[in-house]
């Protein structure tokens, strides 16, 4: 209940209130919660920390959640796909710290797992494609990011339609990749569509 209420506060950008509730929830979960639920509680707290700007603490908590999920995979109490959540969240935290090479590595791991276990046009695959493209762009490798971003755009167009914010987000990442390689006109077209949405 505490975690759910914390997520509601987080969605309203009430990060201080959310962090206090997450902290209580994690404290309770450490004593009596099954492994994956504990990892989820810790990761939820870490996401609130990340969104509030406390990136070093977010990184510590995301690494702890990843460690718990890794042990669960080794004990065969969950599938490897569970790790993709931690890789993605840790990658976003590292990107916020401008540690783009490490962020790309985490997002690439998530993408590999999602390719292995999910349909090629699954929404979570598009999420990982987006994050990989964004990281590549930040590393000055936008030319490598373009095909990933293009695929993410197509998946989100199919799943969400052309008026959804998720589609607009994919377009904005594609625009960044285009801009990074000097394709300003293509970038502008994407951004104009994005702004319409």
């Amino acid at each position: 209940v505490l975690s759910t209420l914390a997520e509601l506060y987080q969605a309203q950008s009430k990060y201080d209130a959310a962090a206090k509730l997450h902290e209580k929830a994690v404290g309770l979960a450490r004593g009596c919660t099954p492994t994956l639920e504990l990892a989820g509680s810790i990761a939820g707290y870490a996401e609130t920390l990340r969104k509030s700007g406390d990136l070093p603490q977010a990184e510590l908590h995301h690494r702890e959640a990843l460690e718990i999920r890794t042990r669960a995979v080794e004990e065969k109490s969950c599938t490897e796909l569970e790790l993709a959540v931690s890789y993605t969240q840790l990658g976003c935290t590292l990107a916020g710290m401008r540690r783009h090479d490490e962020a790309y590595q985490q997002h690439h791991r998530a993408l590999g797992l999602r390719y292995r276990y999910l349909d090629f046009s699954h929404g979570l695959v598009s999420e990982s494609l987006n994050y990989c493209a964004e990281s590549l762009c930040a590393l000055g490798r936008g030319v490598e990011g373009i095909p990933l971003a293009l695929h993410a755009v197509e998946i989100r167009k199919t799943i969400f339609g052309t008026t959804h914010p998720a589609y607009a987000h994919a377009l904005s990442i594609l625009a960044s990749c285009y801009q990074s390689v000097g394709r300003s006109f293509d970038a502008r077209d994407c951004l104009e569509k994005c702004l319409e949405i």
Side-chain angles (χ1 to χ4, degrees), residues 15-186:
Y15 300 121
D16 289 340
K20 286 175 186 172
L21 290 172
H22 273 304
E23 199 169 346
K24 287 180 186 175
V26 168
L28 291 171
R30 286 191 190 283
C32 60
T33 305
T35 304
L36 288 180
E37 288 181 33
L38 174 59
S41 290
I42 293 168
Y45 182 31
E47 281 297 279
T48 295
L49 292 168
R50 177 177 73 86
K51 291 177 180 179
S52 69
D54 190 350
L55 298 175
Q57 282 299 312
E59 180 187 2
L60 287 174
H61 285 80
H62 276 312
R63 288 194 185 280
E64 183 183 1
L66 175 58
E67 187 179 306
I68 292 168
R69 286 175 171 141
T70 301
R71 279 197 310 268
V73 168
E74 290 167 358
E75 294 166 0
K76 300 194 183 327
S77 60
C78 71
T79 69
E80 284 183 302
L81 190 56
E82 190 73 32
L83 296 175
V85 175
S86 278
Y87 291 146
T88 299
Q89 292 172 334
L90 180 57
C92 290
T93 303
L94 294 167
M97 299 168 84
R98 300 188 184 280
R99 289 160 55 186
H100 297 295
D101 190 50
E102 293 174 81
Y104 174 70
Q105 291 171 23
Q106 298 298 325
H107 290 311
H108 193 263
R109 287 180 182 132
L111 179 61
L113 289 172
R114 287 172 172 172
Y115 269 152
R116 189 180 316 156
Y117 293 103
L118 302 173
D119 185 75
F120 194 63
S121 60
H122 194 282
L124 290 173
V125 171
S126 76
E127 177 184 70
S128 290
L129 287 166
N130 260 341
Y131 284 133
C132 283
E134 190 173 43
S135 294
L136 287 167
C137 190
L139 289 167
R141 296 163 55 188
V143 71
E144 296 172 60
I146 290 172
L148 302 179
L150 279 168
H151 188 61
V153 165
E154 287 306 309
I155 292 172
R156 290 187 172 190
K157 182 179 180 180
T158 302
I159 293 174
F160 299 111
T162 58
T163 59
H164 196 279
Y167 177 66
H169 181 245
L171 285 171
S172 72
I173 291 172
L174 178 58
S176 295
C177 290
Y178 279 147
Q179 183 66 33
S180 74
V181 298
R183 291 175 59 178
S184 300
F185 290 112
D186 292 325

